[in-house]
Amino acid sequence: MGDEGFGAADGAELRRPDGRTGVVVGAVRAKTSFVGDISIGSVVIDGGGDRVGVPITDLVALHAGYPFVHPPGFKELRTGIAAGRIVVCAGPDGCGKESAATRALIDSGSPGVRAVPGGLGLDEIGRVIEALAEQGRDCVVSGLPEWSVKALCGPRGDHVLAVTRSRGLRVVVTTTAEPDPAWRRRFTVAELDYPEARAVSAAYLRTTGASPTAHTLTADVLNELELPVRPAVVAAVVTEAIKGSRDTQAIVREYSTTSYVDALTAWLGEGRSPREIALLAAGTTLSGADCVAVNEQAEVLARMLRGPSTVVREKRFVAGTSWPETFLRPATGRVGTHFGVLTTDLVEVCPPYRPNELLQSLWLTLGPDFRQSYVRWLRTLAGRRKLRWHAAYSAGGLFSLDPVVAEEEILRPWANSRQAWDRRCAGMALGTPVAMGADATASRRLANAWATGPSPHLNHAAVAAYGGVLGAWDDSTIAPMQLYRIARRVPPLATEVHWTMANLVVSGADAIHARTCTLAYLETTSRGQREARTVYAMLPALFDSLLSPATVCVESLQALRSEPSNWHRLCTLVGTALTTPPGAKSGRACLTAVTEAIALGHVDHSFASELIRGTKEACRPLGSVSRLGDALRRTLTPLTRSPSGDTRSVATALMTQFFAGS
């Protein structure tokens, strides 16, 4: 691919799902374990000269499945809402501000509560609030950074205040920032904290009807975890206890937040050689990678570290220095190659340590000489195909710890690079805070700035961000909207947007929030005649991913088939595509892909039967069932003459099943 390319030559890699489910911690997954119905609507606003639908979540339905425990400060929150003013709900990340705000609004008689995505720009947030006011809906603006709340205290907030007063709308803004005195003069401020972990666990255990053994295991784990414990972590612990597949210590190791600085300080002792430091840093950064590649990269980093240094102390060089056994260990794993799946030697971080937390401790423990050399080395890894994901994930871990330095010295050079994979690494890095269960506010704001800016390179980085872990696992709903807007505004990026949009649907069985948001946004947006063309162009990539034999895709498809609302949305998209001229080509491509996937054994025949029946039901209210039948015939008839005998057999069987009497 040329330097300025946007992915045409990298299609094979783009087809790989990038939700990266393996790096997502249990506490993040647990957020989807107890949620109620994910109901996604939209409001249309004028954004950058183009009318665009903004996905809006029904928070009452979303939080219906959560057992609710009043957090400290809830009384003040409810009092502020009753006063009819804009309320700023401040508190530490993960303490349950959105669910508390939703419950307080319900208690005050709200006719409905909608979530305004906090990752939008402030002007767009204002327009969404105005649109919701027309519908008479109260709203929660989740995860505003400090500077946005400050801006609301100035002239930019006057319009929002005027709308809320004239319409009787109640707005709650949640933030992790420390409340400023100016906020209290302008708004009501309620400060929340973590609810008591034992009360939260008792509520979850009652909801699930867990066994006495699960109760005991949950209590034992909570006794050993450092307080405070986030509600999402409590939910994850309860889930683990109900499964009963791991003992107390294994669960504690998974969710412990103990710093590794003391262990590193002890290991450093009186000094370590550059190679020893490099082995630890490279092994931590590339945990799970081939040991030969890690050794090679450790030597590169060691050369950068050598020389005058106040951080590392030179010792006699010994060839083949072993891995620091305290933190790293050899392992074996299976890797895919163009000549088959092979077993190879790997290096990985030892339990109970975790790669990103260990890297953060290295960053804190060692001085600027290490940091400068490490950053220069890390940036080069984006050019190594088998190592670039490790580099992006590690860069995101540093961004979570030290956002100013990491953005300036790693993410910004990558995002502005002429090399496409540098830009993709910058985007993928923004998902690490989400995967770690850390505060993702900075990631959301930076991704939005890249997506809405004029630079095609930054737009490209945003595509990688919204199509990766950030889009798949953050509880914001704007990833599909941002990807759609970029596809419309930057045509050279459209193909890559199609694949990354598909990634959101196949990020794993438990990534239901991303799957629902994406399919709901596509189905809603396709109702507009002009917008439908962009949506239909995305469908072939979506089906290519859904029908892939990759494990995460198979699991995602199985989950999708068991979700009635999402299955109906998918069938509606295919049905409307097949029965309208702008979507006919894409619809035929989807059905052809299904037929060929059955022939290859990737899915069973029942999938095609269910899909065709579902499209028929979706087309019935539109009066387009006959057009659907004609489109199915035009698609399947040529396939009955396919050179592939298996494809011919599948197509013939479908024709017999649905058109036997005609």
Side-chain angles (χ1 to χ4, degrees):
M1 180 177 63
D3 285 347
E4 296 292 344
F6 285 113
D10 290 285
E13 276 201 59
L14 293 179
R15 285 166 171 78
R16 298 174 186 171
D18 202 30
R20 306 288 177 177
T21 59
V23 301
V24 180
V25 299
V28 175
R29 297 172 180 277
K31 287 184 177 181
T32 65
S33 298
F34 293 93
V35 296
D37 296 327
I38 301 178
S39 176
I40 308 291
S42 69
V43 296
V44 178
I45 63 170
D46 179 34
D50 191 16
R51 289 178 64 78
V52 61
V54 178
I56 301 296
T57 305
D58 182 343
L59 290 179
V60 177
L62 179 67
H63 292 293
Y66 278 113
F68 181 72
V69 175
H70 290 193
F74 182 73
K75 182 178 179 180
E76 291 76 9
L77 173 61
R78 192 158 50 184
T79 301
I81 289 173
R85 302 182 65 191
I86 293 180
V87 178
V88 175
C89 180
D93 183 56
C95 70
K97 295 182 291 297
E98 184 182 87
S99 58
T102 303
R103 178 58 62 97
L105 284 166
I106 293 171
D107 290 349
S108 66
S110 176
V113 186
R114 301 292 185 263
V116 178
L120 295 172
L122 200 56
D123 291 337
E124 289 183 321
I125 287 174
R127 289 196 287 273
V128 172
I129 291 175
E130 190 171 6
L132 288 173
E134 295 287 339
Q135 301 176 8
R137 302 296 185 186
D138 296 325
C139 61
V140 177
V141 186
S142 297
L144 277 193
E146 181 178 6
W147 59 88
S148 293
V149 182
K150 285 183 177 179
L152 280 176
C153 293
R156 298 176 75 181
D158 290 341
H159 178 66
V160 175
L161 282 169
V163 169
T164 59
R165 287 169 180 162
S166 64
R167 303 279 182 177
L169 179 73
R170 289 168 293 191
V171 177
V172 179
V173 174
T174 72
T175 181
T176 57
E178 190 71 25
D180 186 278
W183 302 1
R184 299 184 189 277
R185 293 191 292 269
R186 182 81 158 177
F187 312 117
T188 298
V189 177
E191 296 186 62
L192 268 58
D193 206 343
Y194 295 104
E196 208 279 318
R198 297 186 189 285
V200 176
S201 67
Y204 275 101
L205 288 165
R206 282 196 303 272
T207 301
T208 57
S211 67
T213 303
H215 282 254
T216 302
L217 182 54
T218 300
D220 291 344
V221 171
L222 293 180
N223 280 337
E224 298 202 30
L225 290 177
E226 290 188 10
L227 298 176
V229 182
R230 298 180 180 192
V233 172
V234 176
V237 169
V238 170
T239 302
E240 293 277 7
I242 292 171
K243 290 178 182 176
S245 57
R246 296 202 288 177
D247 62 21
T248 301
Q249 291 306 313
I251 301 174
V252 169
R253 284 196 298 270
E254 175 73 20
Y255 299 105
S256 173
T257 56
T258 303
S259 170
Y260 305 152
V261 170
D262 290 344
L264 271 173
T265 302
W267 178 79
L268 287 169
E270 295 183 0
R272 294 282 178 171
S273 71
R275 178 164 175 78
E276 289 173 306
I277 296 291
L279 281 168
L280 178 56
T284 300
T285 301
L286 304 175
S287 179
D290 179 82
C291 68
V292 174
V294 178
N295 255 314
E296 290 174 349
Q297 289 303 316
E299 185 56 42
V300 173
L301 179 56
R303 288 198 296 269
M304 293 181 176
L305 288 171
R306 288 191 182 101
S309 173
T310 59
V311 179
V312 292
R313 185 166 156 188
E314 185 64 77
K315 290 185 177 181
R316 180 172 58 87
F317 176 77
V318 179
T321 301
S322 61
W323 305 108
E325 294 181 358
T326 304
F327 303 107
L328 302 176
R329 67 182 183 185
T332 58
R334 293 167 62 81
V335 296
T337 71
H338 65 279
F339 51 91
V341 178
L342 303 177
T343 300
T344 188
D345 294 325
L346 310 174
V347 176
E348 65 182 18
V349 171
C350 302
Y353 303 106
R354 292 187 291 267
N356 258 314
E357 288 85 344
L358 184 55
L359 177 60
Q360 290 178 344
S361 297
L362 271 170
W363 187 264
L364 292 171
T365 305
L366 301 177
D369 290 336
F370 166 78
R371 295 177 187 177
Q372 291 167 7
S373 298
Y374 179 82
V375 164
R376 284 189 285 114
W377 170 77
L378 185 66
R379 286 203 304 257
T380 67
L381 296 183
R384 303 291 298 269
R385 185 175 63 84
K386 294 183 178 180
L387 304 179
R388 59 173 59 111
W389 163 247
H390 298 277
Y393 186 60
S394 296
L398 295 180
F399 180 69
S400 176
L401 174 71
D402 197 347
V404 174
V405 172
E407 189 278 331
E408 182 177 343
E409 298 188 12
I410 306 174
L411 302 191
R412 192 184 305 174
W414 273 348
N416 286 296
S417 171
R418 290 171 59 87
Q419 299 294 331
W421 272 114
D422 284 350
R423 302 192 291 269
R424 293 187 183 112
C425 279
M428 289 189 292
L430 295 189
T432 306
V434 175
M436 295 171 62
D439 186 355
T441 300
S443 291
R444 296 184 195 113
R445 303 304 292 183
L446 187 55
N448 183 67
W450 288 349
T452 56
S455 166
H457 285 175
L458 295 183
N459 297 155
H460 188 203
V463 170
Y466 286 120
V469 172
L470 179 67
W473 295 97
D474 186 27
D475 52 12
S476 176
T477 58
I478 66 170
M481 180 197 78
Q482 296 285 44
L483 289 171
Y484 170 84
R485 292 169 75 176
I486 292 172
R488 291 285 300 271
R489 190 164 53 86
V490 191
L493 286 173
T495 298
E496 186 152 344
V497 167
H498 298 168
W499 291 111
T500 51
M501 187 80 85
N503 284 344
L504 299 181
V505 180
V506 294
S507 290
D510 44 1
I512 182 174
H513 192 270
R515 187 161 52 249
T516 301
C517 290
T518 303
L519 291 173
Y521 189 78
L522 292 176
E523 193 269 330
T524 301
T525 306
S526 69
R527 297 171 191 169
Q529 185 173 2
R530 191 174 120 191
E531 294 82 359
R533 293 179 181 275
T534 303
V535 173
Y536 294 148
M538 297 178 179
L539 291 182
L542 175 59
F543 269 78
D544 186 275
S545 296
L546 281 171
L547 299 170
S548 166
T551 301
V552 69
C553 298
V554 172
E555 292 173 350
S556 299
L557 180 58
Q558 289 175 345
L560 173 60
R561 293 175 71 176
S562 67
E563 298 160 4
S565 296
N566 283 335
W567 181 252
H568 177 72
R569 292 177 179 120
L570 182 68
C571 292
T572 300
L573 285 166
V574 176
T576 53
L578 282 167
T579 56
T580 55
K585 182 178 179 181
S586 290
R588 290 195 296 271
C590 293
L591 194 57
T592 299
V594 171
T595 306
E596 293 173 346
I598 295 172
L600 292 170
H602 295 172
V603 292
D604 54 34
H605 184 90
S606 66
F607 175 77
S609 300
E610 292 171 14
L611 182 68
I612 292 173
R613 292 192 190 101
T615 57
K616 184 177 179 181
E617 291 304 312
C619 289
R620 195 181 305 281
L622 304 175
S624 54
V625 173
S626 61
R627 293 202 303 274
L628 175 65
D630 293 340
L632 291 173
R633 281 196 187 91
R634 286 194 298 271
T635 303
L636 292 173
T637 299
L639 294 176
T640 61
R641 299 189 292 270
S642 170
S644 166
D646 291 336
T647 301
R648 283 200 308 272
S649 298
V650 174
T652 300
L654 289 172
M655 286 290 289
T656 301
Q657 179 178 355
F658 289 98
F659 301 104
S662 58

